[in-house]
Amino acid sequence: MTSGETTLETAATALRDAREAVHTARRKLTAAIVSAYRAGEPVARIAQRTGTSVVEIRNLLAAAQTSRLA
């Protein structure tokens, strides 16, 4: 293999690793948001703390089928 091929393979591996890390981080963030919401934290405060919008938080909670009762 040439160094160009090695560099390409290394970059592809790094990209796969990064995608997995993002996927894991999203799962953890979703779990933390659901937990905060179930504990009674307002959606607006969760959005503020996570740097997202109220709409994004509500969409995430809806997708996770979350209610305060669960």
Side-chain angles (χ1 to χ4, degrees):
M1 256 191 256
T2 66
S3 71
E5 290 173 340
T6 303
T7 302
L8 182 59
E9 290 171 345
T10 301
T13 298
L15 179 60
R16 281 191 295 276
D17 293 345
R19 284 180 180 158
E20 181 59 34
V22 167
H23 183 68
T24 299
R26 284 183 178 156
R27 279 194 316 255
K28 288 179 180 181
L29 180 59
T30 297
I33 289 169
V34 167
S35 178
Y37 181 74
R38 286 185 177 160
E41 189 161 347
V43 170
R45 177 68 180 131
I46 295 170
Q48 181 183 33
R49 289 178 62 201
T50 59
T52 59
S53 71
V54 170
V55 172
E56 288 177 276
I57 298 301
R58 287 192 175 149
N59 286 343
L60 183 146
L61 293 168
Q65 299 179 344
T66 303
S67 71
R68 291 200 194 264
L69 303 174

